Amino acid sequence: MPKTPPQCPMDSILRLLMGPWTTYIIWVLSDQGPQRFGALKRAVPGISTRMLTERLRMLQGAGVIWREQKQTIPPAVTYGLTSRGNDLRGVLDTLGHIAERWKDEGVFAEDEVGTA
Amino acid sequence: MPKTPPQCPMDSILRLLMGPWTTYIIWVLSDQGPQRFGALKRAVPGISTRMLTERLRMLQGAGVIWREQKQTIPPAVTYGLTSRGNDLRGVLDTLGHIAERWKDEGVFAEDEVGTA
DNA sequence: TAAAGTAGGAACGGAAAAGTAACTGCCTAT
DNA sequence: ATAGGCAGTTACTTTTCCGTTCCTACTTTA
């Protein structure tokens, strides 16, 4: 029972980006450059370590971000966007523009999308 | 406790597109033109009427699709993309290309995204 | 000695999303 | 007369996700 019919590969990619935090993480990494785990956590206010870890693993598994671990004594792990992540950047950027335009038009106002 | 920090409007739009079926519906409407409810349901294999209705309402609420109801005796309801929906089309198209490229590269293979 | 930071892992629990199934009312075709 | 299609709605159940909390092992600082 595939929820994602195979004809539509972009659904797979959306599943990847979908999570509540995913795009935000990508945005931070693309806006502020590579970050360490703690810094990332601080940059994404409200996220739990569990979620952050999970999302990072997922993105890493998809090759969207890289992970560099330094085996120093307090281990230092840094994450950054790969070229594949930069692919996404453009799309997300465009989507962001659309989103802003829509927001100006009131699409996301509660009485329009919340009700109805 | 907003899961979507206000700084990131594209998260709102992704929330809109995210659902398991949403993009597929948009794709069908953009690929095959306006469709009636039943046709749409047949075109999106596996979706339940409940989900289809919900997604359509959501997309309609966001102004992504229009809904035209003819008060004939078996009521005929047709859905189609609005100009706003066509905004999305471009992005989804790009995303689709990326997704296909990634798929060719094996990003979505289980051993890459499932394991890790 | 105790607290805090580093980068997570494991377990538990609630809430929201999604699927299933049954029902609506009206009409047409068999 | 009965089945089936139209376009859903409602209720029920399941699943899945997400957040919270506690834990690791080590080191530095107070």
Side-chain angles (χ1 to χ4, degrees):
Chain A
M1 67 216 51
K3 304 176 180 205
T4 303
Q7 293 84 356
C8 196
M10 66 183 158
D11 204 84
S12 308
I13 214 171
L14 279 170
R15 278 188 181 285
L16 184 73
L17 303 177
M18 271 190 295
W21 307 105
T22 317
T23 56
Y24 198 77
I25 293 170
I26 294 176
W27 176 71
V28 168
L29 288 180
S30 98
D31 194 59
Q32 276 143 70
Q35 301 279 321
R36 294 183 49 182
F37 187 90
L40 211 43
K41 183 157 157 44
R42 264 171 259 119
V44 183
I47 197 172
S48 63
T49 56
R50 185 194 183 295
M51 265 299 102
L52 184 52
T53 302
E54 186 189 299
R55 297 295 149 174
L56 289 173
R57 290 289 131 83
M58 202 172 84
L59 292 172
Q60 187 196 352
V64 172
I65 61 173
W66 46 260
R67 181 190 133 111
E68 189 189 68
Q69 179 163 14
K70 280 196 183 114
Q71 283 294 6
T72 52
I73 277 312
V77 182
T78 308
Y79 297 91
L81 288 187
T82 62
S83 61
R84 209 172 265 166
N86 284 316
D87 287 1
L88 286 179
R89 234 207 112 155
V91 182
L92 291 182
D93 222 48
T94 308
L95 208 53
H97 291 324
I98 295 178
E100 274 178 34
R101 184 147 40 87
W102 288 14
K103 199 181 64 174
D104 291 345
E105 293 167 16
V107 179
F108 302 130
E110 319 78 49
D111 55 82
E112 288 223 40
V113 71
T115 317
Chain B
M1 68 211 58
K3 303 174 181 208
T4 303
Q7 295 83 357
C8 197
M10 65 182 158
D11 205 85
S12 308
I13 213 171
L14 279 171
R15 278 187 183 286
L16 185 74
L17 303 176
M18 271 192 293
W21 307 103
T22 317
T23 57
Y24 199 77
I25 294 170
I26 294 176
W27 177 71
V28 168
L29 288 179
S30 99
D31 194 59
Q32 276 143 71
Q35 301 279 320
R36 295 182 50 181
F37 187 90
L40 211 43
K41 183 157 158 45
R42 264 172 260 118
V44 182
I47 197 173
S48 63
T49 56
R50 183 194 184 297
M51 264 299 104
L52 183 53
T53 302
E54 186 189 300
R55 297 295 148 174
L56 289 173
R57 290 289 132 82
M58 201 173 84
L59 292 172
Q60 188 196 352
V64 172
I65 61 173
W66 47 261
R67 181 191 134 110
E68 188 189 69
Q69 178 164 16
K70 281 198 182 113
Q71 283 294 6
T72 52
I73 277 311
V77 182
T78 307
Y79 297 91
L81 288 188
T82 61
S83 62
R84 208 173 266 167
N86 284 316
D87 286 2
L88 286 179
R89 233 206 114 155
V91 182
L92 291 182
D93 222 48
T94 308
L95 208 54
H97 290 324
I98 294 178
E100 274 178 34
R101 185 148 37 87
W102 289 14
K103 200 181 65 176
D104 292 345
E105 295 168 16
V107 179
F108 302 131
E110 317 79 48
D111 55 83
E112 288 222 40
V113 71
T115 317

